[in-house]
Structures are given as structure tokens and as C-alpha cells.
Amino acid sequence: MKHTGIKKEDELVTIICFTYNHEKYIKYALDGFLSQKTDFKFKIIIHDDASTDATGDLIEKYAEKYPEIIIPIIQKQNQRQSGIRGMALERKTIFPLLNSKYVAFCEGDDYWTDEYKLQYQIDFMEAHPAYVGTVHNSITLDMRKGTKEKYNKCWNSDRDVSLSDVISGNYGIYQTASLVCKTENYINPPDYFDLISVGDYPRALQLTTEGKVRYFAKIMSVYRYASGVDSWTNRYLANKYNFRNRCIRIYSEEKMLERLLDLNPKYIEQIIPTLIKKEYDYNYFSGNIKEIKRKNELLKIYSEESIIRKLKLHILSLVNRG
């Protein structure tokens, strides 16, 4: 690992960016960071996980041009492939470099579109210390079709984000590039972070149980959506492991919510219905019809499924049996 440090200053915000093979997009992310107009100092920590394209070279060029702002971490060996991922990676590479009051996030293939984004969010948090985080709406750019649409289509005005919102909305309330939160919360994650490799969902759960989170309807970033275009059936039959991985993720989320409930029993009414739904989804994508029909609470969800969804479940059952 090669690391280039900067002289410690009193930066109010640290922008954290993880990237891998984002040669086509990293310029947009970095330009969005550097265009921010603020009355405070900020720095950028950008972690490249041994990209096989020119991403690392581009980052180093930016770091040479802005040495007082950008801290590049260019890995020589892919950390994720080495088994270091999620919060374990952040503890190892990011936490030791933090000395700011707040942290902001953006993946290397996404980018900010509002040059006052940081100022807007920080002004609010400085004026309202009870808030541990702020988020905002984004544009989803579908890289397959070239279409753009709002990421959150339901919330058209500013509001607080509750734990119930996060649990019911799962990953769909806000996108990573919109989040600014207190560093104190970020570097002290609950132990359920270690139960799942994706940090967005547990971080949203953490923040809404440790303080208040504000959502702004204002659009200030772009999220690139670049999934495949094949059909549901072809995708499953072509790569059965997609659904096995999905089952693993659902199981991890279920265990994480159980641990959240252990730590915060007062949220039982919000968490239990979601746990039941997670159990249903796990059995659904496992093709386990018998287990679904064995439990009344799962059977109730099944009875409300569309004919197409029921047919897919039977297909999954047949494929898994084979």
C-alpha cells in the first residue's frame, strides 16, 4: 500500500471516497469535491482498491495538483479479494487519518452536482447539534439506457428520517453520496456492522438510533446505476449464485436487525415486522415453499403475492431441487 499524507490542519469535513476501476468516472467525482465552495477547510481521502485500469494514475495526478487537500491511498493488492472489506477495511485505512468533526461520502463512480452541497449540510448540522447526519435526494443515471430520474420519488419536501423509514425503505431512501455525518458516530459503529459487508444500511440504522437525521429534497448528486439488462429468469438460470448471494445478504440483514433489537429493545414494534419479511424473502429466494407454508406469518405474505411472484417461487423451488 502506498500512502501520501498531508499536514494536519483543522479541517471541518473529510470526504471519503472508495473507488475501483472507475477510470471513466473518477474525474467527475474529484471535480465535484474540489468545486465545493465553503467557508471551512475540507480534505479528501480517496481509496483505490488496486484498480486494473488507470484509476490509480488519475488519482495520483489529482493528488500532485492538490497535495494539501487530497490524501490518496493506492492499494497494490486488492483488499476485498484478500478478505478485508466493509467496516474492517475502513477501520484499517480510513479511521487513522480522520481528525475532522464531520465526514462526507461518495463512491468513485458517483458525483456531486451542487457546489454548495457541503456548506448547505454543514450549516444545518452546526446550527442543530442534535442531528448526527444529513442526506438529500439524488438523480439516478441509468448507464444502460442513459435515462435520469429522482432517486427518492416519494419524499418531495424536507423532513427527518426515522428508524421506521430506514427499515421499511431499506436501501431506497437516500444514496451514499448524499450523506454527511458526525465523525464520532462514523468511527464508533455498533458491532452489527461486522455481520454485513455493505455499510450503507447498517449506517442508516445506526444514525437514526443515535440521533436525528435530516433529509433535504434538494437534488445535489448523481448516482450511476449500471446493472445488466437480461430478464429475471435468464439472470437466475445463467447464474444461480446471484440468488444464493442474495440469500446470504438477506440472512446477514436478518441477523443484523436481530442484533439491533438486542441493543435497542424499545424498537421492537418497528423491527419485528421487517424480520418476518426478511425471513420470508430468504425462504422465497431459496425456493423453500414448505417453510413458507409452514409458518402462518410467512403464509400470509405468500397469499398476498401476485401470480407472477408465486410462479417465480415455484421455478426457484424446482431449480434448487435440481
Side-chain angles (χ1 to χ4, degrees):
M1 179 183 77
K2 183 173 75 172
H3 168 245
T4 304
I6 63 173
K7 179 182 176 181
K8 283 197 172 183
E9 300 283 355
D10 293 326
E11 296 97 355
L12 188 62
V13 182
T14 300
I15 301 167
I16 300 171
C17 178
F18 285 93
T19 187
Y20 176 72
N21 282 357
H22 290 152
E23 176 185 4
K24 295 179 180 179
Y25 311 124
I26 194 63
K27 178 183 184 298
Y28 296 92
L30 288 169
D31 287 348
F33 304 155
L34 294 166
S35 71
Q36 292 299 299
K37 298 184 183 302
T38 64
D39 59 14
F40 52 81
K41 293 180 180 180
F42 62 87
K43 66 183 176 185
I44 304 163
I45 300 176
I46 182 162
H47 178 279
D48 177 67
D49 202 9
S51 290
T52 59
D53 60 10
T55 302
D57 295 335
L58 292 171
I59 292 170
E60 289 184 323
K61 288 179 180 178
Y62 270 84
E64 289 173 3
K65 188 175 181 180
Y66 302 96
E68 298 300 316
I69 300 176
I70 299 177
I71 302 177
I73 304 174
I74 311 297
Q75 299 287 355
K76 297 304 180 184
Q77 181 177 1
N78 187 277
Q79 299 297 289
R80 184 176 180 84
Q81 293 174 2
S82 300
I84 304 172
R85 61 185 69 185
M87 191 52 63
L89 177 63
E90 295 178 54
R91 288 192 187 101
K92 175 184 175 182
T93 60
I94 305 299
F95 287 11
L97 302 175
L98 294 175
N99 66 326
S100 59
K101 184 176 180 180
Y102 301 101
V103 287
F105 303 87
C106 185
E107 299 292 313
D109 54 344
D110 301 327
Y111 59 99
W112 297 348
T113 56
D114 191 314
E115 60 187 9
Y116 293 100
K117 167 192 151 63
L118 280 184
Q119 189 73 57
Y120 190 85
Q121 291 178 266
I122 295 302
D123 281 349
F124 180 89
M125 296 184 72
E126 287 286 274
H128 303 86
Y131 283 80
V132 296
T134 57
V135 296
H136 57 75
N137 207 351
S138 306
I139 288 292
T140 298
L141 172 59
D142 191 323
M143 300 302 291
R144 307 163 304 170
K145 305 175 183 178
T147 56
K148 297 180 180 180
E149 62 183 10
K150 286 184 179 180
Y151 185 80
N152 186 329
K153 301 176 184 177
C154 300
W155 294 3
N156 296 314
S157 59
D158 298 355
R159 53 172 289 179
D160 285 356
V161 181
S162 69
L163 176 64
S164 295
D165 293 328
V166 174
I167 291 176
S168 61
N170 209 349
Y171 296 91
I173 295 176
Y174 64 87
Q175 205 275 329
T176 303
S178 76
L179 175 61
V180 174
C181 72
K182 291 183 177 179
T183 303
E184 179 181 1
N185 298 89
Y186 171 61
I187 64 174
N188 291 289
D191 58 12
Y192 54 74
F193 269 75
D194 295 322
L195 299 174
I196 191 168
S197 61
V198 179
D200 297 348
Y201 188 39
R203 184 166 295 120
L205 295 173
Q206 174 199 8
L207 293 176
T208 51
T209 55
E210 293 182 350
K212 300 175 75 175
V213 177
R214 189 66 171 175
Y215 169 88
F216 301 114
K218 188 176 184 180
I219 293 172
M220 294 187 276
S221 63
V222 169
Y223 161 61
R224 296 183 194 270
Y225 179 77
S227 65
V229 296
D230 52 333
S231 68
W232 183 92
T233 305
N234 287 342
R235 184 166 65 250
Y236 180 79
L237 294 177
N239 187 356
K240 184 177 178 180
Y241 290 98
N242 280 350
F243 283 84
R244 288 182 179 173
N245 289 339
R246 192 167 188 175
C247 288
I248 292 171
R249 191 201 74 192
I250 293 170
Y251 179 79
S252 298
E253 290 173 354
E254 189 175 356
K255 293 303 176 185
M256 182 183 63
L257 287 171
E258 289 174 353
R259 180 56 181 156
L260 175 65
L261 183 57
D262 289 341
L263 296 172
N264 301 275
K266 64 181 178 180
Y267 295 118
I268 186 169
E269 291 185 3
Q270 294 100 314
I271 294 175
I272 289 298
T274 302
L275 280 173
I276 292 172
K277 183 61 166 61
K278 294 290 183 187
E279 183 180 2
Y280 175 82
D281 288 343
Y282 178 82
N283 285 289
Y284 182 96
F285 290 108
S286 298
N288 196 343
I289 298 177
K290 289 184 179 180
E291 184 66 15
I292 289 175
K293 293 186 175 181
R294 190 178 69 83
K295 296 185 176 181
N296 290 335
E297 61 267 31
L298 303 186
L299 184 58
K300 182 177 184 301
I301 298 175
Y302 173 79
S303 67
E304 296 171 354
E305 293 277 34
S306 66
I307 294 176
I308 292 177
R309 285 273 297 176
K310 288 178 180 178
L311 178 60
K312 288 178 179 178
L313 174 57
H314 284 274
I315 293 173
L316 283 166
S317 176
L318 291 172
V319 174
N320 283 341
R321 190 183 305 169

